[in-house]
Amino acid sequence: ITNNNNNIKVDIDKLRNIEITIGVIITTIGQKYNKNNDKDNNNNYHLNSDYDFVSRYFTSTFGVPEDPVTGSAHCALAPYWLRKLSPNKKINMIAYQASNRGGRLELEIPGDTNNMDRVILRGTAITIITSNLSEKIFNKS
């Protein structure tokens, strides 16, 4: 994966033919970090741009070749990149999903970074569909 994973070419037809439970995430370190991945004396990457990491998410098994911005994928990616980039130090990150529409996400792992079971997502959203759920669905007694 290059530092600009928006250039990755994905064959959606081939992706449809492999067994995928949910989807495929492609991720790379953001251009916030230098291209040589040089670290300082504290084992942290040097900063020089906007995003901690970049990703793309493909869900061809659900009829959507590429999800524009995927909150659930970033709930898995945030702890992964926190461990890689700044273990036990940084709890806030900025991510970018590099689909055609694209989107910027602010990610926060609250509390103890040794227990990363919760991620808070912030960003701008677009309403695609609205619906009302009936209580009958949840109360089957």
Side-chain angles (χ1 to χ4, degrees), residues 15 19-26 56-62:
L15 195 57
E19 258 185 66
I20 302 171
T21 304
I22 297 174
V24 173
I25 301 171
I26 297 173
R56 292 177 69 189
Y57 185 73
F58 299 92
T59 58
S60 61
T61 55
F62 294 103

Side-chain angles (χ1 to χ4, degrees), residues 25 36 57 66 78 93 112 121 130-131 133:
I25 301 171
N36 297 324
Y57 185 73
E66 182 172 6
M93 290 185 288
D112 183 2
L121 301 174
T130 59
S131 182
L133 296 175

Side-chain angles (χ1 to χ4, degrees), residues 105-126:
L105 296 99
E106 297 174 24
L107 309 165
E108 178 184 348
I109 299 178
D112 183 2
T113 56
N114 292 319
N115 183 14
M116 296 187 246
D117 59 352
R118 193 169 132 210
V119 175
I120 297 171
L121 301 174
R122 292 182 188 91
T124 304
I126 296 172

Side-chain angles (χ1 to χ4, degrees), residues 38-54:
D38 292 334
K39 296 182 181 182
D40 63 19
N41 292 334
N42 294 320
N43 208 31
N44 291 317
Y45 290 94
H46 297 283
L47 304 178
N48 69 7
S49 187
D50 290 337
Y51 304 109
D52 291 292
F53 64 91
V54 180

Side-chain angles (χ1 to χ4, degrees), residues 80-97:
Y80 171 82
W81 281 110
L82 180 67
R83 285 184 190 101
K84 292 273 190 194
L85 300 176
S86 186
N88 300 317
K89 295 176 187 162
K90 186 176 185 181
I91 59 167
N92 296 298
M93 290 185 288
I94 304 296
Y96 183 73
Q97 188 156 335

